[in-house]
Structure formats: C-alpha cells, structure tokens
Amino acid sequence: MLRNWYTMTDRQTDRQTDRQTDRQTDRQTDRQTDRQTDRQTDRQTDRQTDR
C-alpha cells in the first residue's frame, strides 16, 4: 500500500510541476509576442508619422 501511495503523490507532484512550468512558459511566450507586437505597432506609427 505504501508504495502505491508514494507513486500517486509523486505523480500528482509531477503534474503540478508540469502545469507550473507550462504556465511560466506560456507567460514568457505571451510577453515576448506582446513585445514584438508593440514594437511592430510602434514602427508602423513611426513610419506614418514620418510620412
């Protein structure tokens, strides 16, 4: 019984860890795409203003 219990808690911990790293990765990716989008928008408005 104890072995089974350990493997269950291990799996839960693994899943939680996976979810956390997934969320972090998602956030980083979101930030990066946000920055890129911001830069592109800035460049476009800059060009329009220059014209």
Side-chain angles (χ1 to χ4, degrees), residues 18-32:
D18 280 354
R19 280 185 193 150
Q20 282 189 354
T21 55
D22 273 359
R23 278 183 194 151
Q24 286 186 343
T25 308
D26 279 355
R27 278 185 194 151
Q28 287 184 345
T29 308
D30 278 354
R31 281 185 193 151
Q32 283 188 353

Side-chain angles (χ1 to χ4, degrees), residues 1-50:
M1 276 300 284
L2 273 180
R3 279 187 189 165
N4 279 343
W5 186 76
Y6 275 127
T7 53
M8 275 182 54
T9 55
D10 274 357
R11 279 185 194 151
Q12 284 187 342
T13 308
D14 280 354
R15 278 188 194 149
Q16 287 184 346
T17 308
D18 280 354
R19 280 185 193 150
Q20 282 189 354
T21 55
D22 273 359
R23 278 183 194 151
Q24 286 186 343
T25 308
D26 279 355
R27 278 185 194 151
Q28 287 184 345
T29 308
D30 278 354
R31 281 185 193 151
Q32 283 188 353
T33 56
D34 273 359
R35 280 183 192 151
Q36 286 185 344
T37 308
D38 279 355
R39 279 184 193 151
Q40 287 183 345
T41 308
D42 279 353
R43 281 183 192 152
Q44 283 186 351
T45 56
D46 274 359
R47 282 184 192 149
Q48 287 182 345
T49 308
D50 279 353

